[in-house]
Amino acid sequence: MDIINQPSEAGVKRLLSLTNLNGSDLTPEHLKHFFGLGTKEEPEGIVGLELFKTVGLLRSLAVVSSRRRTGLGSKLVAHAEDYARNKGIKSLYLLTNTAEAFFKHRGYKRTGRDDAPLAIRETKEFSEISPVSSAFMVKHL
């Protein structure tokens, strides 16, 4: 299954809703750095990035329940990391309530929210959407 660039907004929001993730802040501008597996209109997995000079926020990793534990999430994260690296990103950050072990297995380490770069702190994902109890993690690329 090939990675698709910019899955449809409706497809992204549908998958986020199915997986109980919040996509209320997503705009067409965000979707420029979103990737999916499946079809553009009905992706079976998605991941997104917000990029800021040398840091980025990995966000909205979602896979339909019937395709979990098949490697789709890992494939999407690896693609997003390669894409970010090619765009000059040195560190990727993320927030998660349910997938800390998944990301830890892929080289992300928990860090303090106080250590977040200003660009990350200013995202809606960091400042409004994700609860303070979320694991805040980083991977240096």
Side-chain angles (χ1 to χ4, degrees):
M1 189 178 293
D2 291 331
I3 300 279
I4 54 173
N5 294 321
Q6 299 178 355
S8 74
E9 183 175 356
V12 167
K13 289 190 173 180
R14 178 189 59 79
L15 187 49
L16 291 175
S17 177
L18 284 173
T19 56
N20 296 313
L21 292 176
N22 189 324
S24 63
D25 66 320
L26 291 180
T27 65
E29 183 68 23
H30 283 111
L31 297 177
K32 288 181 180 179
H33 304 294
F34 263 69
F35 310 98
L37 287 165
T39 68
K40 233 175 182 19
E41 294 305 318
E42 292 200 27
E44 295 180 7
I46 57 167
V47 69
L49 292 167
E50 289 185 54
L51 305 177
F52 311 96
K53 294 185 182 173
T54 62
V55 298
L57 182 67
L58 183 83
R59 58 168 298 161
S60 306
L61 176 64
V63 175
V64 293
S65 60
S66 63
R67 296 300 306 270
R68 291 191 184 142
R69 301 196 185 284
T70 63
L72 265 64
S74 295
K75 185 174 182 176
L76 285 164
V77 169
H79 180 81
E81 289 172 354
D82 287 343
Y83 179 87
R85 196 177 290 109
N86 289 332
K87 293 286 186 186
I89 300 300
K90 303 294 183 206
S91 299
L92 272 182
Y93 292 84
L94 64 87
L95 294 137
T96 183
N97 294 315
T98 59
E100 185 173 359
F102 172 88
F103 287 108
K104 188 175 183 180
H105 184 71
R106 283 148 191 85
Y108 289 80
K109 293 182 175 25
R110 196 169 187 145
T111 189
R113 288 176 73 101
D114 292 342
D115 297 328
L118 180 60
I120 301 299
R121 279 189 267 145
E122 290 179 341
T123 65
K124 285 189 178 184
E125 180 78 16
F126 185 93
S127 64
E128 297 176 22
I129 295 174
S130 291
V132 178
S133 60
S134 298
F136 182 57
M137 304 179 82
V138 62
K139 181 175 182 178
H140 302 292
L141 303 178

